[in-house]
Amino acid sequence: MELSRIVITGVGLTSPNGNSLSEFRQNLLDGVAGISRIEMRYMGEVLAGVCDFDPLRYQKKKEVRVGTRAGSISIYCAQEAVKDSGLDFENMSKDRVGIYVGITEHGNVETENEIYNISKFDYDTKYWTHHHNPRTVANNPAGETSLNLKITGPSYTIGAACAAGNMGLVHALQMLRLGEVDVAIAGGVSESIRSFGIFAGFKSQGALAEHEDPNKASRPFDLDRNGIVVSEGGALYTLERLEDAQARGAKIYGEIAGYHVNSDATDYVLPNPERQAQCMRAALKKAKMAASDIHIVNTHATATPMGDVQECRAIREVFADCPDTYVNNTKGFIGHSMGAAGALELAGNLPSFDDGMVHPSINVDKLDPECAIPNLVLNNPIKAKRVDAILNNSFGMLGINSALIIRRFSD
Amino acid sequence: MSKDECKQVVLDIIAEIAPDEELSDVKPDVALREQLDLDSMDFLDIVMELRKKHDIEVPESEYGQLVSLDRCAEYLTPKFNALVWRSQLPINFGPTIVSGHFFVFNEALLLRWNDTM
């Protein structure tokens, strides 16, 4: 059976260093990071990636008050993606549009806020807000987006730890191929910086980054890396079947050529390079591509001592003898945007099809010898001979792995 | 507290929960939902803010009393003044809040309340 080809026709994003694809990309090429120090309930100051998009561009004040931060991020990204796509959105059938939003977690922020609220009333639950349940249901960001854009097709979230951004796109591709929808708005979002539990959990795990200079705290592959900088953000794309996109003369950013998702089944938090390598190989097989056909591998590496080494081991194995394959990482600039990471980091690399540049991994002062894989782009962007395909890794806790391959579009 | 002061308290709450609304021309004798974009969740917010900020409890069976600013003033002003009166008593006569049941998900009650709004 010949499967439909699925293409990207619109991009909307917010990241700690940019609220549009062009701003984000420019900052990645210019070495501009976006990490700051924020006050965290019960913990004092922590490092975080904070987005400064204007939610009131697409929401009323009441919608912002009643809804969640993840909802606002999702709405902003979806609206921007739809606008960018050039779709005649006003006049199209909204029941044929699907929303598939990857999330690492949802509800922690709102629950923590409410417990804090009732702590001011001697923990009397009659002060617990009636907004709690619509705010914390797992489909919240997708649901708020459907309300905002009046989309009546399927709208839900995909929970896949920090592989979720890729998973939103994978799921959208599958739904488009099944004919369930004609347009998918898909990717991932995160509001995690508003939950002290996320920070405290990483801190207890010994995996929360600290550095006197916030913009140097997230340092994947560096010998002195000391953990994750948690960030918020989002990236949603419009995806369409190729024939539909071509029929309306859409701009095509790239084609999803292959993907794979698998599970380690080995540990709650520790990665498994063998399964990661299997995941990348399976994605290449689905794309009918050789490893050497990939020109950029965007790593998941979060700057934990173990995680970076394990992923480099997997990449070294899969991409041995691939002289034109460059390897980079986006988290040095924006931290780990959790459920948004896969989708946001892909967006940071998509413009490489046009400008031929490969953005670097920054903050690598002393490269960890165990991370010294060939063609790792460090600290400064490089001009590639050509960029025809990007493989985007995103891995998550409980051992979920995803690899997504985007190919330069060509008839 | 006068009735006008009571209306202002309610308007201040509405300004917080419905920040997009223009409140300078709210007619006191017209149902709030007829002139403002308020839904049932917003009215629950009004009830919650009265509880949190002012220790005023509005039992479900009396939600209909909040239909308009005039009705709010009629219903709430004695409650505010009773609070002031209690606070001036030399002895603590017990809880100042009349306990009432508050089932957010009781659709029948919400509908009934909405009908009255």
Side-chain angles (χ1 to χ4, degrees):
Chain A
M1 184 181 72
E2 192 65 30
L3 296 171
S4 297
R5 296 169 67 182
I6 307 301
V7 293
I8 295 171
T9 57
V11 184
L13 65 82
T14 178
S15 85
N17 67 345
N19 296 318
S20 67
L21 180 57
S22 57
E23 186 185 10
F24 181 38
R25 175 65 173 180
Q26 196 58 53
N27 282 332
L28 296 179
L29 294 179
D30 291 347
V32 179
I35 306 303
S36 50
R37 215 171 271 283
I38 63 171
E39 188 67 24
M40 182 57 57
R41 182 185 295 154
Y42 310 132
M43 294 181 73
E45 286 191 340
V46 295
L47 298 169
V50 185
C51 297
D52 66 357
F53 72 98
D54 179 11
L56 296 180
R57 184 181 291 185
Y58 300 115
Q59 289 183 282
K60 290 181 178 174
K61 289 176 188 168
K62 188 171 95 173
E63 291 168 339
V64 174
R65 185 187 71 80
V66 169
T68 66
R69 178 67 172 175
S72 288
I73 291 171
S74 183
I75 288 164
Y76 177 85
C77 294
Q79 287 272 12
E80 291 278 298
V82 166
K83 196 161 64 175
D84 183 51
S85 72
L87 283 160
D88 182 12
F89 206 69
E90 286 295 312
N91 296 310
M92 64 186 296
S93 301
K94 305 296 193 304
D95 60 339
R96 298 293 300 164
V97 180
I99 306 170
Y100 309 107
V101 181
I103 51 167
T104 290
E105 47 76 35
H106 184 76
N108 284 320
V109 173
E110 297 73 23
T111 304
E112 287 177 9
N113 284 346
E114 224 35 53
I115 291 171
Y116 182 76
N117 166 48
I118 65 167
S119 77
K120 305 297 180 193
F121 298 94
D122 199 23
Y123 294 98
D124 187 337
T125 55
K126 77 178 179 184
Y127 295 98
W128 190 272
T129 180
H130 48 282
H131 294 295
H132 175 74
N133 291 358
R135 282 176 181 158
T136 58
V137 286
N139 63 318
N140 169 276
E144 283 198 36
T145 306
S146 78
L147 287 168
N148 183 270
L149 282 125
K150 308 296 178 204
I151 291 169
T152 55
S155 63
Y156 48 86
T157 53
I158 293 102
C162 298
N166 270 359
M167 286 299 299
L169 292 165
V170 168
H171 192 74
L173 169 141
Q174 293 167 335
M175 292 298 107
L176 284 162
R177 282 182 171 167
L178 284 170
E180 295 286 329
V181 292
D182 295 330
V183 172
I185 297 171
V189 302
S190 175
E191 62 174 16
S192 296
I193 63 162
R194 285 141 206 271
S195 158
F196 78 88
I198 304 286
F199 287 83
F202 280 135
K203 190 164 189 179
S204 297
Q205 196 187 333
L208 190 67
E210 182 48 56
H211 195 285
E212 60 185 12
D213 180 349
N215 282 329
K216 293 190 180 305
S218 181
R219 38 199 315 122
F221 311 130
D222 187 76
L223 198 57
D224 294 329
R225 65 190 181 278
N226 58 16
I228 292 166
V229 172
V230 184
S231 297
E232 64 176 1
L236 295 177
Y237 300 82
T238 54
L239 303 183
E240 298 172 71
R241 289 180 287 270
L242 173 60
E243 58 269 29
D244 296 337
Q246 285 182 315
R248 68 178 186 88
K251 168 183 62 183
I252 294 176
Y253 283 92
E255 175 182 1
I256 302 182
Y259 68 90
H260 195 69
V261 182
N262 69 359
S263 301
D264 293 342
T266 47
D267 193 83
Y268 290 87
V269 293
L270 297 178
N272 180 326
E274 187 185 344
R275 295 281 174 268
Q276 291 175 352
Q278 284 174 356
C279 189
M280 286 184 267
R281 282 208 188 87
L284 287 165
K285 188 175 177 187
K286 280 179 184 161
K288 298 185 175 66
M289 296 170 85
S292 57
D293 294 330
I294 301 293
H295 296 130
I296 297 176
V297 176
N298 183 253
T299 58
H300 176 74
T302 62
T304 60
M306 173 76 88
D308 292 15
V309 170
Q310 300 288 54
E311 184 177 5
C312 287
R313 193 170 296 163
I315 289 171
R316 192 181 282 116
E317 182 195 323
V318 175
F319 293 93
D321 304 320
C322 296
D324 295 329
T325 303
Y326 292 97
V327 180
N328 70 357
N329 179 281
T330 314
K331 292 186 177 72
F333 295 88
I334 62 171
H336 187 354
S337 56
M338 313 293 283
L344 199 44
E345 293 163 12
L346 171 65
N349 285 279
L350 269 186
S352 296
F353 291 141
D354 295 328
D355 61 25
M357 301 297 292
V358 184
H359 85 65
S361 315
I362 59 167
N363 296 329
V364 185
D365 296 332
K366 287 180 283 182
L367 178 62
D368 181 344
E370 291 195 84
C371 298
I373 49 180
N375 284 349
L376 188 57
V377 182
L378 298 176
N379 301 317
N380 293 297
I382 59 114
K383 178 84 177 170
K385 270 193 279 188
R386 59 180 295 119
V387 178
D388 290 334
I390 299 163
L391 185 145
N392 189 49
N393 277 339
S394 252
F395 310 134
M397 285 189 177
L398 283 305
I400 184 164
N401 307 308
S402 69
L404 190 66
I405 298 173
I406 309 295
R407 182 164 48 203
R408 175 196 293 277
F409 173 67
S410 158
D411 269 334
Chain B
M1 176 181 280
S2 69
K3 286 182 180 173
D4 281 346
E5 287 169 332
C6 182
K7 288 176 191 173
Q8 191 56 51
V9 166
V10 174
L11 281 174
D12 289 345
I13 290 173
I14 294 174
E16 268 183 47
I17 65 173
D20 306 288
E21 297 297 315
E22 173 54 54
L23 300 179
S24 57
D25 292 328
V26 175
K27 296 178 181 63
D29 56 338
V30 176
L32 289 164
R33 288 190 70 171
E34 283 178 21
Q35 46 188 335
L36 299 171
D37 183 17
L38 297 175
D39 58 25
S40 57
M41 294 291 266
D42 298 324
F43 273 91
L44 289 176
D45 273 322
I46 295 173
V47 172
M48 179 64 86
E49 292 308 303
L50 286 167
R51 177 184 296 142
K52 286 166 76 170
K53 290 190 170 138
H54 303 288
D55 270 1
I56 296 283
E57 197 71 23
V58 182
E60 268 177 284
S61 58
E62 295 170 14
Y63 285 174
Q65 300 295 326
L66 305 181
V67 66
S68 67
L69 276 184
D70 279 346
R71 293 277 294 278
C72 282
E74 287 293 330
Y75 174 72
L76 293 173
T77 304
K79 285 178 177 276
F80 277 110
N81 288 333
L83 281 180
V84 173
W85 177 76
R86 282 197 192 96
S87 69
Q88 291 168 348
L89 286 175
I91 305 168
N92 183 357
F93 273 72
T96 54
I97 300 171
V98 178
S99 66
H101 297 288
F102 184 54
F103 299 112
V104 171
F105 296 106
N106 186 328
E107 293 291 338
L109 277 169
L110 271 179
L111 282 173
R112 198 176 69 208
W113 177 50
N114 290 342
D115 289 344
T116 63
M117 295 290 169

